Amino acid sequence: MAGEVKIIKGIAAAAALAAALALCLLLAQDNEPPQVTTKTVTVRHYEDGVDTDGARTEPYSAADFIDTYTDNRKGKDFTVQYGEGYLDFQEPGTYVFSLLVSDEAGNTAVCQAQLVILGVGKREAVREERYGIKTVTSDTVTYRVEQDGSVTELSRETGDIVKINSAGFAGAAALEPEARALQPELAATREEILGIVNDCRAEEGVGPLLLDEALCQIATVRAMEIAYTGQYSHQRPGGLSWSTLKEELGYSLIARTKLGENLAKGYGGVNADACEGWIHSPLHYQNMVDPDFTRTGIGRYTLGGATYWAQWFASADIAGG
């Protein structure tokens, strides 16, 4: 039995040796380079100011450029090296260079390859020109640099507003038509905020506020005015007090009428969160639960990804408009 095992092992070793010799002979006879086709590889380079989790230029390797590979001896293994014209490219551009592709026998095919590194960066753009206001956004732009140096913009993602030029502001009265047209779609916002405010008043033992159409119109114009001018404060453009808006829009008050204003910005556009901010601010909360106030108007406006709220309070009716 032992003798049979030795014979079998001997046969296996001989077969392996024969296969190795056959491969060596095959490779020795192989003097033709492989047939190779390449493909364009496209990666991105991120400029300063563009948030990325990794390197500024996406990684790539020489093997990424191989599209098809055919060896005349049916071999599948090959090596790839960068050839003439390659300079470890990292900046945006369109680059053409050679690749050296070698089969197992050391035969080398010289191929042309192309690498496109797209640029991704921030660019400012005038995004809105309404009511004499120019708003500038910081957009994320993807672009391609051709071999001749020309640049083609491929895509643009509108970013947040970074500048507002309000020098040519047409005035609050110019906002009125849009504000009036917005009233139907603001109904749900008004009801939600009114409910939260009146709940707070009930907890304080104060009577509920009534929703006033004139105050809603004024509050909407006020939210728009802040959005377009970027002047988020209780002072209006030109240094005017917030309360002067009513006269500018043609509204009048009964003598000794008391007024109040709450403003909010941001909060992801969530009405309840804006109200929560007011509740935790003593001066804003004082307006919400002031027993002298009997009426309120609520406005909301979104511009350039930011949402603005204005709520006006009054102790009597407002006429005109």
Side-chain angles (χ1 to χ4, degrees):
M1 187 68 176
E4 292 178 3
V5 171
K6 289 181 180 179
I7 291 172
I8 292 172
K9 288 184 176 179
I11 293 172
L17 179 60
L21 290 173
L23 178 60
C24 290
L25 180 60
L26 183 64
L27 294 177
Q29 295 173 347
D30 182 6
N31 55 13
E32 295 182 17
Q35 297 178 1
V36 181
T37 62
T38 61
K39 59 185 177 182
T40 298
V41 171
T42 302
V43 296
R44 286 171 171 76
H45 170 86
Y46 298 93
E47 299 177 359
D48 290 335
V50 179
D51 295 330
T52 61
D53 295 329
R56 292 183 63 197
T57 301
E58 294 173 339
Y60 60 90
S61 68
D64 294 336
F65 295 89
I66 303 301
D67 188 24
T68 64
Y69 172 86
T70 304
D71 184 10
N72 62 312
R73 299 298 183 184
K74 308 302 182 183
K76 295 182 179 180
D77 295 331
F78 59 89
T79 59
V80 187
Q81 300 179 65
Y82 293 116
E84 184 178 356
Y86 181 77
L87 298 173
D88 189 23
F89 306 111
Q90 297 293 321
E91 297 298 319
T94 300
Y95 307 100
V96 176
F97 50 90
S98 64
L99 283 180
L100 307 179
V101 184
S102 302
D103 62 18
E104 294 174 291
N107 301 304
T108 300
V110 181
C111 312
Q112 189 178 74
Q114 179 172 271
L115 170 67
V116 177
I117 301 180
L118 302 178
V120 182
K122 294 290 187 180
R123 302 289 186 273
E124 290 189 354
V126 176
R127 187 57 56 186
E128 286 279 350
E129 292 190 54
R130 300 183 66 194
Y131 307 119
I133 300 291
K134 293 183 178 180
T135 57
V136 180
T137 59
S138 179
D139 299 348
T140 300
V141 174
T142 300
Y143 60 92
R144 174 171 175 163
V145 180
E146 306 295 345
Q147 283 185 274
D148 62 4
S150 61
V151 179
T152 303
E153 183 176 309
L154 301 180
S155 66
R156 177 180 290 265
E157 181 181 341
T158 303
D160 294 334
I161 293 175
V162 293
K163 295 178 185 177
I164 295 178
N165 183 347
S166 59
F169 182 45
L175 308 177
E176 272 219 279
E178 183 182 356
R180 200 170 301 281
L182 287 173
Q183 295 309 310
E185 67 185 69
L186 289 175
T189 290
R190 292 196 298 262
E191 291 301 324
E192 181 181 1
I193 292 177
L194 180 64
I196 293 172
V197 172
N198 279 339
D199 285 345
C200 292
R201 293 174 69 88
E203 291 178 4
E204 300 290 343
V206 180
L209 296 174
L210 299 177
L211 203 60
D212 185 279
E213 289 186 8
L215 286 175
C216 285
Q217 176 69 6
I218 295 172
T220 302
V221 171
R222 183 76 173 110
M224 294 175 65
E225 179 181 65
I226 293 170
Y228 278 106
T229 63
Q231 190 163 334
Y232 178 63
S233 75
H234 294 293
Q235 189 176 67
R236 297 182 60 220
L240 299 173
S241 168
W242 61 271
S243 62
T244 61
L245 179 60
K246 62 185 185 302
E247 287 85 9
E248 186 172 334
L249 298 181
Y251 293 92
S252 60
L253 297 174
I254 297 174
R256 293 185 297 278
T257 297
K258 182 177 178 179
L259 291 175
E261 178 184 71
N262 280 357
L263 302 176
K265 172 187 176 182
Y267 293 102
V270 179
N271 296 323
D273 290 349
C275 291
E276 193 69 19
W278 289 335
I279 290 170
H280 291 288
S281 169
L283 291 178
H284 292 93
Y285 186 71
Q286 182 178 334
N287 277 340
M288 294 170 72
V289 299
D290 190 326
D292 292 338
F293 292 140
T294 58
R295 291 160 175 76
T296 188
I298 298 159
R300 167 183 164 142
Y301 196 74
T302 300
L303 179 67
T307 300
Y308 302 83
W309 291 265
Q311 182 171 14
W312 273 43
F313 303 86
S315 60
D317 284 335
I318 290 184

